[in-house]
Amino acid sequence: MSTPSDAQIWDWLAEVPDPEIPVVSVTDLGIVRDIRWDGDTLVVAVTPTYSGCPATAVIDLAIESHLRDRGIGDLRLERRLSPPWTTDWVTQEGRDKLRAYGIAPPVDGTASDGGTAARAARLAGRSNLVIACPRCGSGNTERVSQFGSTPCKASYRCKDCLEPFDYFKCH
Amino acid sequence: MPSLPDMTTPDVVALAESAAAAQSHDPHVQDVDLKPAFFDWLCRMGDNTLILGHRISEWCGHGPALEEDIALANTALDLIGHTQMWLGLAAEVQSEGRTADDLAFLRDAMKFRNLQLAELPNGDMAVTLMREFLFDAWHFHMLTALTRSASPRVAEIAAKALKEVSYHLERSSDLVVRLGDGTQESHARMQEALDRLWPYSGEMFVADAVDDAVANAGIAPVLADLQPAWQQTVEEVLAEATLTRPEGRADVHRGGKQGRHTEHLGYILAQMQFLQRAYPGASW
Ligand SMILES: [Zn+2]
């Protein structure tokens, strides 16, 4: 077969679902950083979301088997740490898919800085971070826990429709 | 560092080499004179996260509330992820064909370089949270400084880990405040935990020849320079938590960084290393 174009390869990558949130693809999440040819070998650079995310190996395997199914026999995956993954790279389409799936998408610029000023404001109830309920759209929600069912999520609760939901936290 | 899975290439050494070649160029990694200190220091970073991560993972399924259980498991997972990066780089610097897994599972207690604080038993939630808070505050300031390391490999690991550790510090400070400034019982337990752990906290800032060598090379900060920032974070949170900083010396118990450990580390390793010791080379 002839060498597929880069655009074709990106299209194929966009078909690879995230193993834990299968409504979004690896390209929606922004974790495929780069593709290039090293001679006849296709090199795909992937960045981990969280350092210890157990899905990382599964994601690599899913990318590899999907591209092999599309006829790319000579393939290498490369792990890229820098620059570190950020939820700013989650595409608009990815955010819409997350919301439709019931996960509130990340609010950019609100990642933890470990700072005590933010903590003081939060404890005093002055946090201005409003996470809209993905089910009813209400902003009347509260955080149950900063950590959720996977490393990338926090647990929230809607005080209007009373449903619990996941928030894809800013990172 | 564990290589990426590859269905056609079973040669993991070649894979590790190609993965290493793809990393940012860093002359420190091949610097022969620097090697002993750099390796030791990387083991300190990786052993802290490995041993504390293992300790915290012991709570999995035993947390006092589902959310806490999940938060602790997530924190442990982050720390084990950092371990793969630090020990992976350590193995590369050592260049004796070992991997992060070899360093984690096939070294004896005397070769471990973690702070004694990291290996102390979990105790109750008060001890677990206070230990995490004292460590997180150090970890946060250390990683912040390391993002400016002269070693690009160290800087990129630090930048990755810092994003996660910021959440760790936010959570542990929140809980220290809530429980310290909570009920009479929770306050008493948090104060007791602080009093017990305080004499272990000073080891973070006691530099030796290894710390001096990596600081001179611009890889890591001078430890004494980190202390004021740590102290400020700790004092702010303790004040808000209505807890009293102990009067006594903070550096009573030390030696972990040089391989002198409490009796507790052996038990951790016995559990953690059992499989690789009993079935060498086992994998799945
Ligand atoms: Zn709602």
Side-chain angles (χ1 to χ4, degrees), chain A residues 133-138 141 158-163 165:
Chain A
C133 168
R135 186 171 175 271
C136 74
S138 165
T141 60
C158 176
K159 294 201 267 190
D160 281 335
C161 75
L162 306 179
E163 286 294 322
F165 65 91

Side-chain angles (χ1 to χ4, degrees), chain A residues 31-108:
Chain A
I31 58 178
V32 181
R33 299 313 302 156
D34 183 32
I35 57 170
R36 66 171 198 276
W37 291 92
D38 177 6
D40 292 332
T41 305
L42 175 67
V43 182
V44 181
V46 183
T47 193
T49 51
Y50 282 70
S51 315
C53 183
T56 305
V58 184
I59 289 172
D60 291 341
L61 200 62
I63 290 174
E64 176 153 357
S65 52
H66 191 74
L67 291 179
R68 286 194 194 285
D69 287 349
R70 295 295 177 278
I72 298 187
D74 201 350
L75 173 68
R76 187 171 82 231
L77 265 64
E78 193 174 274
R79 185 155 105 137
R80 188 169 296 175
L81 274 188
S82 183
W85 178 76
T86 159
T87 42
D88 295 356
W89 295 342
V90 178
T91 61
Q92 187 54 50
E93 200 187 333
R95 288 161 198 258
D96 295 340
K97 289 182 193 166
L98 284 172
R99 197 180 296 106
Y101 188 58
I103 298 173
V107 176
D108 289 345

Side-chain angles (χ1 to χ4, degrees), chain A residues 48-52 60 64 77-79 82 85-86 112-113 116 119 122-123 146-148 151 170-171, chain B residues 1 4-5 7-8 22 70 74 77 82 85 140 156 160 163-164 166-167 170-171 173-174 236-237 240:
Chain A
T49 51
Y50 282 70
S51 315
D60 291 341
E64 176 153 357
L77 265 64
E78 193 174 274
R79 185 155 105 137
S82 183
W85 178 76
T86 159
S112 174
D113 61 359
T116 46
R119 180 175 45 76
R122 209 172 40 257
L123 286 173
Q146 191 192 70
F147 293 85
C170 185
H171 190 71
Chain B
M1 186 170 304
L4 295 165
M7 297 189 294
T8 54
I70 291 171
N74 270 301
L77 207 54
H82 303 165
M85 299 192 284
F140 175 81
E156 72 181 15
K160 180 77 196 162
K163 296 180 120 207
E164 292 150 20
S166 300
Y167 277 105
E170 189 181 305
R171 169 178 169 275
S173 344
D174 270 7
E236 272 175 21
V237 171
E240 212 178 324

Side-chain angles (χ1 to χ4, degrees), chain A residues 1-15 27 35 37 42 66-67 70 72:
Chain A
M1 71 179 260
S2 60
T3 305
S5 68
D6 284 5
Q8 176 65 70
I9 294 166
W10 280 108
D11 284 346
W12 287 337
L13 288 167
E15 295 164 1
T27 53
I35 57 170
W37 291 92
L42 175 67
H66 191 74
L67 291 179
R70 295 295 177 278
I72 298 187

Side-chain angles (χ1 to χ4, degrees), chain B residues 17-97:
Chain B
E17 276 168 7
S18 70
Q23 305 283 355
S24 327
H25 177 69
D26 187 345
H28 298 92
V29 175
Q30 278 91 32
D31 186 330
V32 179
D33 295 331
L34 192 59
K35 188 195 266 194
F38 196 14
F39 173 73
D40 229 55
W41 179 80
L42 287 164
C43 287
R44 291 178 182 184
M45 294 303 293
D47 290 345
N48 278 332
T49 53
L50 175 61
I51 298 302
L52 186 61
H54 186 87
R55 269 292 184 229
I56 295 177
S57 78
E58 291 171 358
W59 275 105
C60 190
H62 302 276
L66 184 59
E67 288 78 11
E68 271 315 297
D69 199 286
I70 291 171
L72 287 162
N74 270 301
T75 304
L77 207 54
D78 287 341
L79 293 172
I80 301 301
H82 303 165
T83 306
Q84 287 189 327
M85 299 192 284
W86 291 124
L87 293 187
L89 184 54
E92 234 181 277
V93 167
Q94 193 188 30
S95 60
E96 290 177 8

